[in-house]
Amino acid sequence: TMIAGIINAGLDYVLIVSCDLGIAGAALATGLGQMVPALAGLVFFLNQKHALHLTRFTMHTKELIQACYNGSSEMVTNLSASVVSILYNFQLMSIAVENGVAAYGVIMYVNIIFMAIFLGYSIGSAPIVSYHYGAENHTELKSMFRKSLILLTVSGVILVVLSELVARPLVMIFTSYDPELLDMTASGFQLYALAFLPMGFNVWGSAFFTALNNGAVSACISFLRTLVFQIIVVLTLPILLGIDGIWLSIVAAELLSLAVTVSFLLVKRKRYQYA
């Protein structure tokens, strides 16, 4: 994965700058970069000496459908991200033209760095939750639940404080060539960063219910968080607050989602016995 990222970044420069291919070059660089982990995985699984390798299989339709249903929240998240990004870009073009779109792109890049912490913990802890739930180890499940809430609270606070302190140095990596764009992006990221406090709970909450085999609740949290709430706030807040309303839209959407996540956690606590 790291090699794929390096190749992607290197080809971005070669194809966009040296070969002057523009956006097509960026798309080609991304595609070629993604081929690296794909081919590496194929080579690995074709080796029959490994414990995990490609072999003949039996179709388990019922289990496959259940897996797709339980993972529907991840599908919703990825589909929504594209729709919402287009909507954000339209709003930014109408308010701040090209600089606004550029600032949003930079903020999204920096956001991935911080968001990875929440995603990593949520995905990494999900198998532990599934195991203890399936084994009916309710004491361990409750312990995992409490520790997760503490960890997410502490990490959320740290990320918000860190984001406010290093916002300008981080965005300078991408926008140092344009002082006006730098100021807009740094200011926007400082507002956007407030979302990191509730964001962790929402990302983890969706993954938590997926781990408990409740795809419906997980998908509901993801659908409201990544699509419905974001569409509502990004269409209304800019009317009241201008471009600051766009940066604060994610904060408002995460807070609304937090209310939904907490509600589901309270309602379902007796059924799954995690609290």
Side-chain angles (χ1 to χ4, degrees):
T1 302
M2 293 176 64
I3 293 173
I6 293 171
I7 290 175
N8 190 352
L11 288 176
D12 273 338
Y13 180 82
V14 172
L15 296 177
I16 297 174
V17 180
S18 300
C19 299
D20 197 25
L21 293 179
I23 296 298
L28 185 58
T30 301
L32 292 173
Q34 289 298 316
M35 287 179 65
V36 173
L39 292 173
L42 185 61
V43 170
F44 179 90
F45 291 116
L46 282 174
N47 190 336
Q48 300 295 310
K49 294 181 180 179
H50 292 141
L52 291 175
H53 57 267
L54 295 176
T55 183
R56 294 183 181 274
F57 69 95
T58 302
M59 178 65 74
H60 297 276
T61 307
K62 180 180 178 182
E63 288 78 5
L64 183 61
I65 293 174
Q66 176 62 30
C68 292
Y69 166 74
N70 197 36
S72 57
S73 60
E74 285 72 23
M75 177 194 71
V76 169
T77 298
N78 284 285
L79 289 175
S80 301
S82 299
V83 175
V84 169
S85 293
I86 293 172
L87 186 57
Y88 269 78
N89 284 329
F90 272 125
Q91 288 288 75
L92 285 163
M93 280 297 292
S94 64
I95 296 175
V97 294
E98 289 86 353
N99 269 1
V101 175
Y104 177 70
V106 171
I107 290 173
M108 288 301 100
Y109 276 120
V110 178
N111 170 65
I112 291 173
I113 299 172
F114 291 86
M115 181 75 166
I117 296 173
F118 297 133
L119 284 173
Y121 179 74
S122 299
I123 295 172
S125 64
I128 304 173
V129 172
S130 293
Y131 174 81
H132 288 306
Y133 173 63
E136 298 185 358
N137 296 331
H138 300 302
T139 301
E140 292 294 335
L141 189 59
K142 290 178 181 179
S143 176
M144 186 73 187
F145 180 78
R146 289 193 301 270
K147 290 175 181 176
S148 295
L149 294 182
I150 294 172
L151 182 62
L152 290 167
T153 300
V154 173
S155 59
V157 171
I158 291 174
L159 286 182
V160 170
V161 173
L162 187 63
S163 298
E164 299 300 325
L165 293 176
V166 303
R168 193 171 187 86
L170 276 177
V171 300
M172 278 184 69
I173 298 173
F174 304 94
T175 62
S176 57
Y177 62 90
D178 188 331
E180 182 182 350
L181 178 58
L182 173 59
D183 291 337
M184 178 188 294
T185 309
S187 175
F189 184 64
Q190 287 179 321
L191 294 175
Y192 183 98
L194 297 174
F196 291 134
L197 190 56
M199 184 184 293
F201 293 99
N202 295 324
V203 173
W204 170 80
S206 178
F208 183 71
F209 281 107
T210 296
L212 294 174
N213 201 32
N214 193 327
V217 170
S218 179
C220 182
I221 293 173
S222 293
F223 180 68
L224 292 173
R225 171 180 170 265
T226 60
L227 187 64
V228 176
F229 290 151
Q230 290 211 43
I231 288 177
I232 293 172
V233 294
V234 79
L235 289 176
T236 55
L237 284 185
I239 298 175
L240 303 173
L241 303 173
I243 191 170
D244 286 346
I246 295 180
W247 309 133
L248 289 171
S249 292
I250 184 65
V251 182
E254 292 291 350
L255 289 173
L256 291 171
S257 302
L258 181 62
V260 174
T261 301
V262 171
S263 298
F264 276 124
L265 289 172
L266 291 174
V267 170
K268 301 293 184 181
R269 66 187 187 281
K270 291 184 178 179
R271 175 180 174 182
Y272 295 109
Q273 300 182 50
Y274 49 74

